[in-house]
Amino acid sequence: MQSKSWTLQDSQQLAADFPYTFYKPSNEVVSKLQPGNQVKLIFEFASDDPEAPSAERMWVEIHDHKNGLYSGYLNNEPMYITDLKHRDCIEFRECHIMDTDLDDPVPSLPDKYIKRCFVTHNILHQDQPVGFLYREQPEYDDDSGWRITAGNETDEYMQDPNNSSYVSLGAVLRKDDSFLALTESDIGMAFIKDDEGNFVVLED
């Protein structure tokens, strides 16, 4: 029998590795799943096509659930995976479920930190730690008001818009969550990291 070209990705591990940006349905919502409900799974595959992604995220309609093993029918037509087609039978476990068609009663970290902020590329792309941050009046509806830097940027660096990005707070926390406890601070607050690596309030 020919081996399949795809495998199911462990969404539970992804959520553990990237808690601020990857949503994994709560145990509460998973426990409510019944035959007929839809779940989304990540189908990883290898391809010679340089334009192809590394995985396809597709919906599966649950047919049965016994002893921790689910079975269902693929409810999408794959774009890249050639040995899968619509209505094929798929077996999977809870760890593979990355989304459901039910409302999740438990707030998730990605949702909590979905508001955006301006952050320098020293942090986002050069893996430098957060060294200075302040919160101003948000400019947009999806803006948290946070402005985050490594603290060593020059005036010239800061004046170049190509040196910063407007991303979710979760995306910055994914790189460095040392400022997590400060995210609920009021507008107007500013913090700088001292020589001992602790954030202290920066007074006017």
Side-chain angles (χ1 to χ4, degrees):
M1 182 177 177
Q2 187 176 6
S3 62
K4 59 189 180 183
S5 69
W6 53 273
T7 58
L8 292 177
Q9 192 163 34
D10 187 339
S11 296
Q12 190 69 51
Q13 187 60 54
L14 283 174
D17 292 341
F18 308 109
Y20 303 112
T21 54
F22 186 85
Y23 166 72
K24 178 73 172 70
S26 67
N27 292 333
E28 285 84 346
V29 74
V30 170
S31 69
K32 297 178 181 179
L33 292 171
Q34 301 289 334
N37 281 127
Q38 305 270 337
V39 295
K40 186 177 284 188
L41 312 179
I42 305 174
F43 296 76
E44 290 186 298
F45 66 96
S47 174
D48 295 329
D49 183 355
E51 301 298 322
S54 61
E56 292 196 60
R57 300 184 178 194
M58 295 185 285
W59 291 97
V60 172
E61 180 181 331
I62 297 174
H63 171 67
D64 198 11
H65 178 214
K66 291 180 180 178
N67 301 320
L69 183 66
Y70 291 86
S71 62
Y73 303 109
L74 187 64
N75 209 19
N76 290 107
E77 192 67 56
M79 295 184 63
Y80 298 95
I81 302 174
T82 58
D83 56 346
L84 263 182
K85 62 182 182 298
H86 182 243
R87 299 304 289 176
D88 274 356
C89 184
I90 306 294
E91 291 188 338
F92 58 97
R93 296 188 180 276
E94 189 276 333
C95 65
H96 299 123
I97 299 172
M98 67 156 294
D99 202 357
T100 77
D101 61 351
L102 300 176
D103 291 332
D104 198 331
V106 180
S108 70
L109 285 180
D111 283 344
K112 182 176 181 179
Y113 299 112
I114 200 170
K115 287 277 191 174
R116 292 176 175 265
C117 63
F118 286 97
V119 58
T120 63
H121 290 173
N122 280 345
I123 296 168
L124 205 58
H125 300 311
Q126 301 301 320
D127 296 325
Q128 294 185 27
V130 174
F132 172 67
L133 67 161
Y134 63 96
R135 192 175 194 184
E136 62 183 21
Q137 189 68 39
E139 298 181 12
Y140 315 102
D141 290 341
D142 64 349
D143 184 10
S144 70
W146 283 109
R147 313 295 179 241
I148 305 173
T149 76
N152 57 9
E153 292 85 354
T154 63
D155 289 342
E156 182 181 10
Y157 180 99
M158 294 299 296
Q159 289 169 5
D160 185 345
N162 292 318
N163 289 330
S164 63
S165 291
Y166 185 58
V167 300
S168 70
L169 272 173
V172 184
L173 290 166
R174 174 173 169 173
K175 304 291 289 189
D176 176 10
D177 64 0
S178 62
F179 67 100
L180 178 63
L182 308 178
T183 57
E184 300 298 326
S185 300
D186 294 335
I187 292 171
M189 296 295 293
F191 302 89
I192 192 168
K193 188 174 287 184
D194 64 19
D195 293 338
E196 297 180 354
N198 301 311
F199 284 106
V200 296
V201 176
L202 187 65
E203 304 291 351
D204 292 337

